[in-house]
């Protein structure tokens, strides 16, 4: 099965070379790494293009410039793999990530979510298990109310991507939407094994602070979107 690694980039020059260097050795010659840059023309572009000149598996794309959710939506539409791995620019893949995830996909899972060790900017571990700290577990209703799906720890089949596209207009983040779609359409697998160093350095692209009212509104919108589609 061909793998597409989908990386959304935005001013990622500080860490993106280290991330690409952790990803590429785990892929076969038939796989691909798509980097969609939402701030093209800077150092991130230079770094990615330098990788692309040496490795034909790396493709640099100009992102849609509409934020992280639409950037990942764009990436899913450009990818041609049978299995799609979401990838953040700041993290580091541990050496057995692809192998362990693909074992679960090949055993019939439509989506795999694996554990991660949380680190600071210098990759010093601050939490050994993201799952344990945050109570990550499968279940449709559970993940409507308390999201476990974190994109950088997710891989899924081409069919899940087809089912998830296009993204609804008012979803807070892409990963929860994709996870809920997978919960409704196939078997998800939670791997209780840290396969990634999840770097938290103060400059990560996140959704930011939200009010309780906004959180409730987002969850209702997600639930309506999933139920109306399936």
């Amino acid at each position: 099965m061909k793998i597409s690694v989908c990386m959304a980039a935005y001013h990622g020059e500080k860490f993106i070379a280290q991330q690409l260097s952790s990803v590429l050795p785990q892929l076969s010659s038939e796989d691909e790494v798509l980097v969609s840059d939402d701030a093209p023309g800077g150092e991130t572009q230079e770094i990615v293009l330098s990788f692309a000149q040496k490795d034909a598996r790396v493709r640099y794309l100009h992102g849609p410039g509409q934020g992280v959710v639409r950037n990942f939506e764009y990436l899913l539409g450009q990818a041609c793999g049978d299995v799609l791995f979401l990838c953040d620019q700041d993290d580091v893949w541990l050496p057995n990530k692809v192998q362990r995830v693909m074992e679960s996909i090949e055993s019939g899972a439509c989506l795999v979510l694996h554990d991660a060790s949380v680190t600071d900017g210098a990759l010093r571990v601050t939490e050994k298990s993201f799952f344990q700290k945050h109570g990550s577990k499968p279940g449709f209703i559970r993940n409507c109310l308390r999201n476990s799906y974190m994109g950088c720890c997710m891989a899924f089949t081409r069919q899940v991507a087809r089912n998830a596209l296009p993204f609804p207009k008012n979803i807070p983040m892409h990963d929860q939407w994709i996870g809920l779609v997978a919960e409704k359409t196939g078997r998800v697998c939670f791997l209780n094994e840290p396969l990634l160093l999840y770097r938290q350095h103060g400059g990560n692209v996140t959704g930011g602070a939200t009010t309780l009212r906004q959180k409730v509104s987002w969850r209702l919108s997600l639930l309506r979107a999933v139920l109306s589609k399936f």
Side-chain angles (χ1 to χ4, degrees):
M1 287 190 283
K2 179 173 180 173
I3 292 170
S4 292
V5 177
C6 299
M7 181 190 294
Y10 182 77
H11 294 300
E13 56 270 7
K14 189 171 183 180
F15 300 118
I16 199 167
Q18 188 176 19
Q19 173 67 306
L20 286 169
S21 296
S22 76
V23 171
L24 287 166
Q26 302 189 44
L27 303 180
S28 78
S29 60
E30 302 301 316
D31 299 333
E32 65 177 1
V33 178
L34 308 180
V35 182
S36 178
D37 188 357
D38 250 358
E43 290 182 58
T44 298
Q45 178 172 332
E46 293 177 8
I47 293 167
V48 176
L49 288 178
S50 72
F51 273 85
Q53 288 171 358
K54 301 171 186 175
D55 193 325
R57 296 174 298 176
V58 179
R59 290 173 53 198
Y60 176 83
L61 306 170
H62 283 207
Q66 299 174 19
V68 64
V69 175
R70 297 304 156 190
N71 203 356
F72 273 111
E73 180 182 41
Y74 172 68
L75 278 162
L76 297 191
Q78 296 297 310
C80 59
D82 305 298
V83 179
L84 292 78
F85 282 68
L86 301 188
C87 186
D88 289 350
Q89 64 191 12
D90 310 302
D91 304 324
V92 172
W93 286 18
L94 295 179
N96 58 337
K97 172 180 162 92
V98 170
Q99 177 188 347
R100 295 289 292 119
V101 169
M102 290 302 294
E103 287 170 356
S104 294
I105 293 285
E106 289 164 0
S107 296
C110 71
L111 181 146
V112 177
L113 180 76
H114 64 74
D115 201 356
S117 293
V118 183
T119 78
D120 63 14
L123 296 181
R124 293 182 290 258
V125 174
T126 57
E127 295 175 18
K128 290 184 179 180
S129 169
F130 186 91
F131 276 14
Q132 185 175 353
K133 179 74 173 180
H134 298 274
S136 302
K137 293 181 181 178
F140 179 78
I141 296 300
R142 177 186 180 86
N143 282 288
C144 281
L145 300 174
R146 182 183 175 89
N147 181 44
S148 297
Y149 289 103
M150 186 164 65
C152 61
C153 296
M154 288 168 55
F156 44 88
T157 63
R158 162 68 54 187
Q159 188 58 52
V160 170
R162 289 194 189 104
N163 290 338
L165 293 173
F167 291 172
K169 291 182 179 180
N170 53 351
I171 57 172
M173 285 300 283
H174 56 285
D175 40 17
Q176 186 177 14
W177 164 250
I178 296 168
L180 292 176
V181 167
E183 293 260 12
K184 290 293 289 183
T185 57
R187 178 172 69 84
V188 302
C189 173
F190 276 48
L191 280 179
N192 295 308
E193 181 179 350
L195 299 175
L196 174 132
L197 299 179
Y198 178 45
R199 195 191 316 250
Q200 293 290 282
H201 52 85
N204 303 72
V205 178
T206 65
T210 56
T211 64
L212 177 61
R213 182 176 181 179
Q214 182 65 74
K215 289 177 181 177
V216 171
S217 175
W218 276 340
R219 280 156 177 77
L220 289 174
S221 295
L222 275 167
L223 184 58
R224 282 194 296 266
V226 174
L227 294 179
S228 65
K229 189 160 188 173
F230 303 102

